[in-house]
Amino acid sequence: QVQLVESGGGLVQAGASLTLSCVASGRTFSTYAMGWFRQAPGKEREFVAAISRSSGGRYYADSVKGRFTISRDNAKNTVYLQINALKPEDTAVYYCAATTGTGQAMAVRGTSDYWGQGTQVTVSS
């Protein structure tokens, strides 16, 4: 098992940047591919980004390519999501995810094995 705790969300203005963090505990962090999902009000949860265990592969939803960057620091058991040029449409609860599979599979299937509780990102216009 693994526990995931997100942080870094908040209320920001459109055009601002924000970095979310997710700290993992439990099984060795480097054995998991990691990712981020989000759920906006009234909408279903959607895939945002994923990264392989050794950062060799990075995957993004088409809607966030060019603005979002996922990274990880295995020594700190932490995965990050840097968000640039925030838009009101980015408003959502952002969830950290971990899988024993691959980051590519997470991106293609839109599923994961473990989930954090989420952190709220609100973008005002």
Side-chain angles (χ1 to χ4, degrees):
Q1 64 176 13
V2 62
Q3 293 78 48
L4 307 171
V5 181
E6 304 96 332
S7 63
L11 174 62
V12 298
Q13 294 184 346
S17 297
L18 198 62
T19 299
L20 308 182
S21 299
C22 172
V23 179
S25 62
R27 199 202 297 185
T28 301
F29 179 71
S30 62
T31 64
Y32 298 97
M34 302 294 297
W36 291 90
F37 291 72
R38 68 184 181 185
Q39 186 168 21
K43 297 184 178 180
E44 297 183 357
R45 182 179 59 195
E46 66 175 346
F47 167 77
V48 174
I51 187 168
S52 63
R53 290 180 293 276
S54 58
S55 301
R58 305 186 188 201
Y59 310 89
Y60 300 94
D62 289 341
S63 61
V64 305
K65 285 182 178 178
R67 295 192 300 118
F68 287 30
T69 302
I70 188 170
S71 62
R72 66 190 295 164
D73 186 339
N74 287 348
K76 296 182 178 180
N77 282 17
T78 303
V79 62
Y80 306 93
L81 184 69
Q82 181 178 330
I83 311 173
N84 296 323
L86 278 158
K87 304 176 180 179
E89 305 93 271
D90 295 320
T91 295
V93 176
Y94 284 72
Y95 296 93
C96 181
T99 182
T100 57
T102 65
Q104 182 177 12
M106 180 183 290
V108 172
R109 300 172 186 173
T111 61
S112 190
D113 299 313
Y114 307 99
W115 304 89
Q117 294 299 309
T119 184
Q120 176 71 49
V121 173
T122 303
V123 184
S124 62
S125 61

